Amino acid sequence: GAVVSQHPSWVICKSGTSVKIECRSLDFQATTMFWYRQFPKQSLMLMATSNEGSKATYEQGVEKDKFLINHASLTLSTLTVTSAHPEDSSFYICSAPRTSGGEGNEQFFGPGTRLTVL
Amino acid sequence: AQSVTQPDIHITVSEGASLELRCNYSYGATPYLFWYVQSPGQGLQLLLKYFSGDTLVQGIKGFEAEFKRSQSSFNLRKPSVHWSDAAEYFCAVGGNAGNMLTFGGGTRLMVKP
């Protein structure tokens, strides 16, 4: 099946620094990727839609200047958490949809990145 | 707006017992429905999906789910639970190709020996 990778799998940083998380589709092209955030013992909440060749679309309440998204190529999207604070500590998961014939939407999820901000 | 409700936050079953996890959705058009499983600290693994056709879908690890349009439900079942099934289960709904998924709140399954 299709594979989506994320790097790093975990990161610890100091408050005020910026952290970049990469999401790659390894064996298919993805013009769209999605970034989700998951707090402990909670569900996944969509943060933004990353679009290759255009600006990302952010969900209501998500600060676009804080969570910078760049869809650099058809296989790579990056999420940069700028000036990170402890409340940004979370599990960040990306996904990429791949259509297969007439079956419509199938999302492939990355393994997630655990961010801890001290 | 689309939404997913998983009424049960926690469920505990004995190993070998049957399991049913409930999922109700709200969606304005024909939904694409998914069940994912997540082990602690891990990403999501797709158990099964429904796009169209037969309303009873088979997935991996012995799971199945039944789409009932009249009840807006997509409940997940397994006839005999194994200790390794203990995890968090998420139901999700999506639309056309390329659309994002909306997740339910999740159900944490615990398995008693």
Side-chain angles (χ1 to χ4, degrees):
Chain A
V3 177
V4 174
S5 70
Q6 278 184 245
H7 178 79
S9 55
W10 60 268
V11 56
I12 301 173
C13 69
K14 292 182 179 180
S15 186
T17 61
S18 294
V19 174
K20 179 186 286 188
I21 302 171
E22 294 185 348
C23 177
R24 293 181 185 272
S25 56
L26 298 183
D27 53 356
F28 66 102
Q29 294 183 335
T31 56
T32 301
M33 292 184 177
F34 300 102
W35 286 97
Y36 295 84
R37 182 174 181 175
Q38 185 181 29
F39 289 108
K41 298 185 179 181
Q42 295 188 26
S43 188
L44 284 77
M45 298 299 293
L46 180 69
M47 297 176 65
T49 303
S50 175
N51 303 299
E52 191 272 336
S54 64
K55 292 182 179 180
T57 305
Y58 290 82
E59 295 301 299
Q60 191 172 11
V62 178
E63 299 176 58
K64 60 181 68 176
D65 294 330
K66 181 168 186 61
F67 298 99
L68 301 179
I69 290 173
N70 181 31
H71 203 123
S73 73
L74 288 172
T75 60
L76 173 64
S77 174
T78 60
L79 168 68
T80 301
V81 183
T82 62
S83 186
H85 291 282
E87 57 265 32
D88 299 323
S89 299
S90 189
F91 195 52
Y92 293 86
I93 303 176
C94 72
S95 74
R98 186 185 72 174
T99 57
S100 48
E103 289 191 340
N105 181 6
E106 180 165 359
Q107 298 271 350
F108 295 91
F109 285 83
T113 296
R114 182 158 307 281
L115 169 64
T116 301
V117 184
L118 303 177
Chain B
Q2 58 199 57
S3 66
V4 179
T5 301
Q6 292 179 245
D8 305 304
I9 298 175
H10 294 99
I11 283 185
T12 300
V13 299
S14 297
E15 190 169 16
S18 63
L19 170 71
E20 182 170 35
L21 302 183
R22 295 183 291 165
C23 172
N24 293 97
Y25 69 90
S26 174
Y27 195 75
T30 300
Y32 296 98
L33 294 158
F34 307 83
W35 273 100
Y36 290 90
V37 61
Q38 185 182 38
S39 297
Q42 303 296 312
L44 299 176
Q45 181 180 23
L46 179 67
L47 287 176
L48 47 78
K49 62 193 179 200
Y50 171 79
F51 289 158
S52 64
D54 192 346
T55 56
L56 184 64
V57 293
Q58 302 297 321
I60 62 171
K61 303 184 178 185
F63 286 93
E64 66 177 27
E66 186 171 12
F67 170 59
K68 293 185 177 180
R69 185 186 298 275
S70 62
Q71 298 177 21
S72 297
S73 70
F74 189 57
N75 294 348
L76 181 71
R77 301 194 292 252
K78 186 169 184 178
S80 177
V81 171
H82 189 263
W83 65 267
S84 60
D85 293 325
E88 186 89 19
Y89 291 79
F90 292 98
C91 180
V93 65
N96 292 330
N99 280 11
M100 56 79 167
L101 296 182
T102 297
F103 286 85
T107 297
R108 180 166 298 277
L109 173 65
M110 290 178 281
V111 180
K112 294 190 298 185

